[in-house]
């Protein structure tokens, strides 16, 4: 027993010495690897974030009918007004519904556009972002805030209150933000947005394929893993008894 104890002490000493030497020898490599890994992760995250942003703009353009370039510029204006893209999407959706209802003669929406001095046919000839700018200017020109709120709610529904900071900036403020977005390189072309959306979709497909492969691999290995664990469980009492007998 004394001999075993001595061997254990010697082994632990040698192990600790070896561990210390290895840690000292590999410290520089570990620091370099950690730095390189951090750069790679940060770079990958930055690329993915860029693809996600462009993909979001491209798909939102399809849903709202607003062009990619105009929408990416308007996104900057909206963010400066603390208006999210989802709120902007709901606002455009409600505006489209209100235009349709006004065309069909629905009183509330027809009266709302008339109160702003806007002809429905002329308004529909404009691009969606131009429609939004014109309506914003006419609402801002009203002296009665209560009247503006009532008309705004008839046109934009429940989205009006959340869109109000952007509406208050008017078409001039939105254009100023769009010019700034162009200078900052925030405005996307339709081709670039489509390319980013395709790349992002390809990454999603790759991720889903990898998940399916991992799941299939795990399922194939499941019986072997189960058998190995069962065998280990059966032998565990004998292993424990042997260890106790040795010490």
């Amino acid at each position: 027993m004394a001999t075993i104890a001595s061997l254990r002490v010697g082994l632990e000493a040698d192990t600790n010495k070896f561990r210390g030497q290895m840690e000292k020898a590999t410290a520089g490599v570990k620091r370099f690897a950690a730095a390189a890994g951090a750069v790679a992760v940060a770079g990958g995250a930055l690329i993915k974030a860029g693809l996600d942003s462009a993909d979001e703009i491209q798909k939102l353009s399809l849903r709202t009918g607003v062009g990619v370039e105009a929408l990416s510029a308007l996104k900057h204006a909206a963010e400066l007004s603390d208006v999210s893209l989802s709120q902007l999407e709901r606002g455009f959706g409600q505006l489209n519904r209100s235009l349709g209802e006004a065309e069909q003669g629905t009183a509330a929406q027809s009266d709302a556009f008339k109160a702003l001095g806007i002809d429905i046919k002329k308004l529909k000839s404009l691009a969606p972002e131009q429609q939004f700018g014109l309506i914003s200017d006419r609402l801002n020109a009203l002296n009665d805030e209560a009247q503006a709120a009532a008309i705004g709610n008839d046109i934009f529904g429940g989205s009006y209150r959340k869109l109000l900071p952007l509406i208050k900036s008017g078409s001039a403020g939105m254009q100023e933000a769009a010019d700034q977005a162009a200078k900052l390189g925030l405005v996307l072309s339709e081709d670039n947005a489509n390319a980013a959306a395709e790349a992002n979709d390809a990454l999603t497909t790759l991720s889903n394929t990898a998940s399916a492969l991992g799941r299939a691999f795990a399922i194939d290995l499941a019986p072997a893993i189960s058998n190995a664990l069962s065998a280990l469980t059966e032998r565990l009492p004998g292993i424990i008894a042997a260890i106790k007998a040795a010490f």
Side-chain angles (χ1 to χ4, degrees), residues 149-194:
I151 294 173
N153 279 302
D154 285 336
I155 295 174
F156 294 108
S159 298
Y160 172 72
R161 182 176 60 83
K162 293 180 179 179
L163 291 173
L164 190 56
L166 181 60
I167 291 172
K168 285 293 186 182
S169 70
S171 61
M174 294 178 211
Q175 185 59 54
E176 182 179 351
D179 293 340
Q180 185 183 57
K183 291 178 181 178
L184 293 173
L186 300 176
V187 177
L188 283 170
S189 69
E190 187 170 350
D191 288 342
N192 287 340
N194 290 339

Side-chain angles (χ1 to χ4, degrees), residues 221-233:
L221 285 178
I225 294 172
S226 178
N227 292 336
L229 291 176
S230 296
L232 178 60
T233 301

Side-chain angles (χ1 to χ4, degrees), residues 2 7 13 24 30 37 44 52 65 84 94 98-99 107 117 147 149 153 163 171 192 208 224 234-235 246-247:
L7 286 173
K24 183 178 180 180
K30 287 182 177 179
D52 285 342
S84 69
Q94 183 59 50
S98 293
L99 282 171
Q147 182 189 18
N153 279 302
L163 291 173
S171 61
N192 287 340
N208 290 340
E234 291 176 1
R235 295 179 183 179
F247 294 94

Side-chain angles (χ1 to χ4, degrees), residues 35-99:
V39 170
V41 170
L46 186 63
I47 291 172
K48 187 63 169 69
L51 290 176
D52 285 342
S53 177
D55 190 17
E56 183 181 29
I57 291 292
Q58 191 261 1
K59 288 179 171 58
L60 184 58
S61 173
L62 295 176
R63 293 195 297 270
T64 61
V66 183
V68 167
E69 291 188 19
L71 187 57
S72 56
L74 190 56
K75 175 179 182 288
H76 182 57
E79 289 174 343
L80 292 176
S81 300
D82 291 328
V83 175
S84 69
L85 271 182
S86 60
Q87 291 167 348
L88 199 60
E89 179 181 5
R90 287 192 290 271
F92 275 110
Q94 183 59 50
L95 172 57
N96 285 333
R97 285 191 291 273
S98 293
L99 282 171

Side-chain angles (χ1 to χ4, degrees), residues 94-112:
Q94 183 59 50
L95 172 57
N96 285 333
R97 285 191 291 273
S98 293
L99 282 171
E101 290 173 354
E103 273 192 314
Q104 294 173 7
T106 304
Q109 282 68 38
S110 295
D111 292 345

